[in-house]
């Protein structure tokens, strides 16, 4: 059995209890060494074989899984954040399907969620944005034409850009065509790690600040007015609105009945 595990953004305490259980009991561990914090492997079995997938191809990864499965060994395939976000998990699952090897996926805390926690912000502010777009600019992996940053930016949604801080100048240039130049931007480097750094600016100022800080990778670029201070209060906790649990005019105690 192979367990794909979302290891979270970096802080070992942000690994799920279930993910930790499968890592600690695995016979074989394949982890994405470029981003996964090695501390999450600290309680593994002494005899566990550990592979760093940063040095491996897809077929090598699948080969290790196949060999382990043939020996009846358990495999923990450890991805950073959540494997469903830029995790290259699908190609592995499809290969395992072809080989008839069973697997399970254990979700993790994606870095974009850790970034919100570090910034102490809410991505979906009433009256500002109710939509979050996760995207990237083109690197070696092409981005479909219809999803180019320029067209996505037109929605003025909250935007979270992965894998792109190395091209921050290109990114802000593209976004400036749709957003106002003073739209707030934050760059969150290594969210939840001890070396976490957050840089705040606007579309106009952020590129220089990021360069001055020497940040070229492992960072998210988040853009949108959710970083500002203007928003409407929620209806969920509005005293003039009823919800399934809370009737207007009722005391707080009523809501718990
Ligand atoms: N599956 C991962 C993303 C993998 S792609 C997730 O859910 O977070 C790798 C990119 O994710 C990096 O280039 C960076 O943009 C972002 N990233 C991963 N960990 C990060 C962290 N701790 N802080 C900020 N960005 C991070």
């Amino acid at each position: 059995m192979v367990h794909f595990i979302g290891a979270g953004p970096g802080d070992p305490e942000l690994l799920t209890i279930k993910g930790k259980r499968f890592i600690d009991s695995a016979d074989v561990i394949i982890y994405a060494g470029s981003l996964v914090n090695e501390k999450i492997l600290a309680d593994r079995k002494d005899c566990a074989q550990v592979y760093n997938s940063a040095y491996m191809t897809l077929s090598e990864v699948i080969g290790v899984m196949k060999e382990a499965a043939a020996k009846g060994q358990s495999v923990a395939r450890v991805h950073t954040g959540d494997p469903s976000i830029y995790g290259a998990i699908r190609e592995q699952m499809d290969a395992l399907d072809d080989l008839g090897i069973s697997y399970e996926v254990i979700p993790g805390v994606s870095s974009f969620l850790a970034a919100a926690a570090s910034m102490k912000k809410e991505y979906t502010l009433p009256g500002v944005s109710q939509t979050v777009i996760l995207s990237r600019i083109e690197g070696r992996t092409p981005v479909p034409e219809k999803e180019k940053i320029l067209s996505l930016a037109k929605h003025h949604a909250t935007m979270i850009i992965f894998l792109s801080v190395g091209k921050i100048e290109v990114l802000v240039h593209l976004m400036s065509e749709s957003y106002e130049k003073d739209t707030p931007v934050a760059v969150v480097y290594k969210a939840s790690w001890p070396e976490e750094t957050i840089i705040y600016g606007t579309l106009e100022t952020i590129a220089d600040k990021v360069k001055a800080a020497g940040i070229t990778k492992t960072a998210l670029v988040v853009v949108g007015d959710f970083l500002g201070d203007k928003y409407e209060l929620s209806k969920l906790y509005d005293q003039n609105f009823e919800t399934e649990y809370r009737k207007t005019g009722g005391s707080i105690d009523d809501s718990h009945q």
Side-chain angles (χ1 to χ4, degrees), residues 29 38 47 50 52 83 97 117 125 139 148 150 188 219 228 232 252 255:
I29 298 170
E38 284 187 26
C47 60
V50 180
N52 180 350
D97 283 338
L125 279 183
K148 295 263 150 91
L150 196 54
V188 184
E232 292 165 14
I252 288 172
S255 67

Side-chain angles (χ1 to χ4, degrees), residues 29-58:
I29 298 170
I30 310 170
Y31 76 110
S34 52
L35 282 170
V36 168
N37 189 339
E38 284 187 26
K39 285 191 181 153
I40 69 155
L41 309 180
D43 298 328
R44 67 181 182 272
K45 294 199 292 195
D46 287 340
C47 60
Q49 289 167 258
V50 180
Y51 296 86
N52 180 350
S53 62
Y55 301 108
M56 299 163 81
T57 62
L58 172 63

Side-chain angles (χ1 to χ4, degrees), residues 14-26:
L14 293 177
L15 172 64
T16 64
I17 293 166
K18 194 168 186 174
K20 178 165 171 54
R21 180 157 64 81
F22 286 119
I23 290 171
D24 293 352
S25 63

Side-chain angles (χ1 to χ4, degrees), residues 212-251:
I215 296 171
T216 57
K217 58 177 194 166
T218 326
L220 294 167
V221 183
V222 297
V223 182
D225 288 320
F226 79 95
L227 286 164
D229 294 321
K230 281 197 208 109
Y231 63 96
E232 292 165 14
L233 296 180
S234 74
K235 300 293 179 232
L236 183 59
Y237 297 107
D238 187 329
Q239 59 179 358
N240 297 314
F241 281 83
E242 293 189 347
T243 72
E244 189 186 340
Y245 298 99
R246 181 171 48 75
K247 303 296 166 211
T248 48
S251 70

Side-chain angles (χ1 to χ4, degrees), residues 181-213:
K181 289 211 179 345
D182 60 357
T183 301
V185 183
V187 167
V188 184
Y189 170 73
K190 291 203 115 179
S192 87
W193 291 73
E195 57 269 45
E196 171 185 293
T197 306
I198 307 179
I199 296 178
Y200 294 98
T202 64
L203 277 178
E204 204 159 25
T205 62
I206 198 80
D208 287 346
K209 289 185 177 184
V210 165
K211 285 202 162 159

